[in-house]
């Protein structure tokens, strides 16, 4: 029993102590810089009584002044270019590199690549899941101020399913040359970036629609909205 107690005491007190050493600090060339400051007798202000001038140096190089927060700002026109570039699948990093190439160097750009990326992230966070609502509000505002503007949309459980819109130019085009039309489901998004049905090697738009599902009921809804907009059926319809 005494041996067990002694063994426990030995386990609680290790036979040696681990010493932790300190790494020696390296003294920089400016380590001998000195500025002596003391409080005046009236205790109202501080006074420098000793200063080593040869160790004085600037806190910021002139080449790095563009990285200051006051100089590193994303201008409004660059912000607009970034938003429009996103619709063409041009990200903020690619846009930043293109701008640096056009200005012959990154040092001539007023913002950094992180400013472009953060601005794009803030824009996406601001829109969130309200992109469909913002689009509906936009076309509703157009219908409010333009008399011949037509818009029709369908939503299920507050989720936008289909939307069709046509401005006054589209409605005039259909009245003039609306005998035969084509429904292009890949308008300017196919690999050739071409429209399906040219009119004398040109095309005119008679309406636009967005659908969530490529199915028969959604196409039926679009055709009914098209008929409600223009008032008459075309003589010939083509679909790619």
């Amino acid at each position: 029993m005494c041996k067990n107690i002694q063994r426990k005491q030995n386990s609680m007190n290790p036979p040696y102590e681990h010493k932790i050493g300190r790494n020696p600090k390296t003294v920089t060339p400016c380590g001998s810089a000195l500025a002596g400051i003391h409080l005046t007798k009236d205790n109202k202000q501080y006074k420098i009584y000793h200063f080593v001038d040869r160790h004085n140096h600037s806190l910021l190089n002139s080449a790095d002044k563009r990285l200051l927060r006051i100089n590193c700002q994303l201008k409004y026109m660059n912000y607009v270019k970034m938003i429009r570039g996103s619709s063409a699948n041009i990200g903020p990093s690619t846009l930043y590199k293109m701008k640096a190439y056009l200005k012959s160097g990154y040092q001539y750009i007023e913002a950094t690549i992180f400013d472009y990326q953060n601005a794009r992230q803030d824009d996406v966070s601001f829109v969130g899941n309200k992109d469909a609502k913002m689009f509906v509000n936009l076309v509703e505002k157009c219908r409010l101020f333009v008399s011949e503007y037509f818009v029709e949309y369908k939503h299920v459980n507050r989720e936008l399913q289909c939307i069709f819109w046509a401005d006054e130019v589209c409605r005039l085009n259909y009245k003039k040359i609306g005998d035969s039309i084509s429904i292009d489901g890949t308008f300017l998004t196919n690999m050739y970036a071409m429209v399906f049905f040219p009119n004398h090697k040109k095309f005119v738009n008679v309406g636009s629609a967005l659908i969530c599902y490529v199915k028969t009921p959604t196409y039926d809804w679009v055709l009914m909205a098209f008929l409600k907009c223009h008032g008459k059926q075309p003589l010939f319809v083509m679909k790619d």
Side-chain angles (χ1 to χ4, degrees), residues 224-236:
M224 293 301 296
F226 180 88
L227 183 61
K228 183 179 178 180
C229 172
H230 296 290
K232 65 175 183 178
Q233 297 181 1
L235 300 178
F236 184 70

Side-chain angles (χ1 to χ4, degrees), residues 102-237:
L102 294 175
K103 288 197 172 185
S104 302
Y106 292 97
Q107 65 273 17
Y108 301 109
I109 303 179
E110 64 280 355
T112 63
I113 188 172
F114 300 107
D115 295 322
Y116 279 78
Q117 293 174 352
N118 293 335
R120 177 57 182 163
Q121 185 177 1
D122 294 341
D123 181 71
V124 173
S125 300
F126 174 76
V127 175
N129 57 355
K130 303 184 294 293
D131 51 350
K133 180 61 177 177
M134 295 173 65
F135 179 68
V136 171
N137 292 339
L138 178 63
V139 294
E140 286 286 357
K141 186 181 295 185
C142 293
R143 180 168 62 177
L144 181 63
F145 291 100
V146 181
S147 59
E148 296 296 327
Y149 198 92
F150 178 86
V151 59
E152 188 84 2
Y153 56 90
K154 173 187 176 183
H155 62 87
V156 178
N157 296 329
R158 301 180 62 86
E159 180 181 354
L160 185 64
Q161 299 288 325
C162 309
I163 184 170
F164 176 86
W165 71 96
D167 57 3
E168 67 277 8
V169 178
C170 296
R171 304 181 80 171
L172 288 175
N173 289 334
Y174 185 77
K175 289 180 181 180
K176 295 294 183 181
I177 48 175
D179 296 336
S180 61
I181 64 172
S182 67
I183 301 176
D184 190 359
T186 59
F187 180 70
L188 295 180
T189 58
N190 52 14
M191 62 181 298
Y192 302 105
M194 297 174 60
V195 296
F196 174 65
F197 184 77
N199 179 29
H200 301 290
K201 297 183 179 180
K202 295 181 180 180
F203 71 93
V204 292
N205 191 11
V206 295
S208 303
L210 291 175
I211 57 178
C212 60
Y213 303 110
V214 186
K215 294 182 179 180
T216 302
T218 54
Y219 273 104
D220 291 341
W221 184 91
V222 171
L223 293 176
M224 293 301 296
F226 180 88
L227 183 61
K228 183 179 178 180
C229 172
H230 296 290
K232 65 175 183 178
Q233 297 181 1
L235 300 178
F236 184 70
V237 179

Side-chain angles (χ1 to χ4, degrees), residues 44-60:
K44 291 184 178 181
Q45 59 182 355
Y46 289 93
K47 184 178 180 180
I48 299 176
Y49 65 90
H50 182 71
F51 184 77
V52 181
D53 190 34
R54 64 189 182 89
H55 292 290
N56 186 25
H57 55 82
S58 59
L59 298 177
L60 182 67

Side-chain angles (χ1 to χ4, degrees), residues 39-106:
L39 189 64
T40 58
K41 293 182 179 180
D42 53 0
N43 295 330
K44 291 184 178 181
Q45 59 182 355
Y46 289 93
K47 184 178 180 180
I48 299 176
Y49 65 90
H50 182 71
F51 184 77
V52 181
D53 190 34
R54 64 189 182 89
H55 292 290
N56 186 25
H57 55 82
S58 59
L59 298 177
L60 182 67
N61 295 328
S62 58
D64 297 333
K65 288 184 179 180
R66 66 181 186 88
L67 299 176
L68 292 175
R69 187 73 262 177
I70 191 173
N71 298 328
C72 191
Q73 298 290 336
L74 188 63
K75 295 183 179 179
Y76 176 75
M77 290 303 300
N78 294 330
Y79 180 78
V80 173
K81 291 178 181 178
M82 183 190 63
I83 299 301
R84 292 180 178 178
S86 61
S87 60
N89 294 329
I90 300 177
S93 301
T94 305
L95 185 64
Y96 178 80
K97 294 177 182 178
M98 291 173 58
K99 192 173 181 62
Y101 176 77
L102 294 175
K103 288 197 172 185
S104 302
Y106 292 97

